[in-house]
Amino acid sequence: MSQYLFIESQDPLEDRGADAYLETALELCRQKETVTVFFVENGANATRKGAQVALRDDLLAAGAAVKVDSLALQERGIHANGLPAGLEIGTVEDIVDLLADPETKAVWH
């Protein structure tokens, strides 16, 4: 069974293209596909608890695995206790593990 990995490196609060990208992930999740959204680099800004990123919250509610890179958090001064409920902290190794799975379809924005 296929699984989808969406790597978001752009800040959805600044890059309007991120909305369409995350909307695609949400639609796949609604179709009962296995979806992981991994925020890296500037995408980590969308994981702050107070950030108004409706699609992030919609993805969590729809059952997607939503993760943020630990290094990206550290570089931006975002603390783990400042993350929304359900959002997980991950590492580059987690991304590599998903990419190594032949069933994973990955897209990077």
Side-chain angles (χ1 to χ4, degrees), residues 15-49:
D15 184 328
R16 300 313 304 159
D19 284 350
Y21 180 75
L22 295 174
E23 187 68 48
T24 300
L26 181 59
E27 183 57 34
L28 285 166
C29 198
R30 288 178 176 153
Q31 293 175 18
K32 305 300 182 203
E33 299 289 347
T34 302
V35 175
T36 299
V37 175
F38 215 114
F39 290 97
V40 300
E41 300 172 2
N42 286 337
N45 291 326
T47 65
R48 293 180 190 272
K49 197 171 200 170

Side-chain angles (χ1 to χ4, degrees), residues 2-109:
S2 294
Q3 61 182 347
Y4 296 88
L5 171 61
F6 288 79
I7 302 171
E8 178 57 81
S9 63
Q10 303 301 310
D11 185 343
L13 298 170
E14 294 180 1
D15 184 328
R16 300 313 304 159
D19 284 350
Y21 180 75
L22 295 174
E23 187 68 48
T24 300
L26 181 59
E27 183 57 34
L28 285 166
C29 198
R30 288 178 176 153
Q31 293 175 18
K32 305 300 182 203
E33 299 289 347
T34 302
V35 175
T36 299
V37 175
F38 215 114
F39 290 97
V40 300
E41 300 172 2
N42 286 337
N45 291 326
T47 65
R48 293 180 190 272
K49 197 171 200 170
Q52 299 297 313
V53 183
L55 283 168
R56 176 205 62 205
D57 299 336
D58 293 345
L59 284 158
L60 285 165
V66 181
K67 299 183 178 198
V68 61
D69 176 47
S70 60
L71 180 60
L73 291 176
Q74 181 182 2
E75 289 175 338
R76 286 155 186 81
I78 303 171
H79 298 282
N81 61 357
L83 299 177
L87 198 135
E88 301 173 36
I89 297 174
T91 64
V92 172
E93 289 83 4
D94 296 328
I95 294 173
V96 171
D97 288 345
L98 285 167
L99 291 173
D101 185 332
E103 297 298 318
T104 299
K105 297 176 182 176
V107 185
W108 189 302
H109 176 250

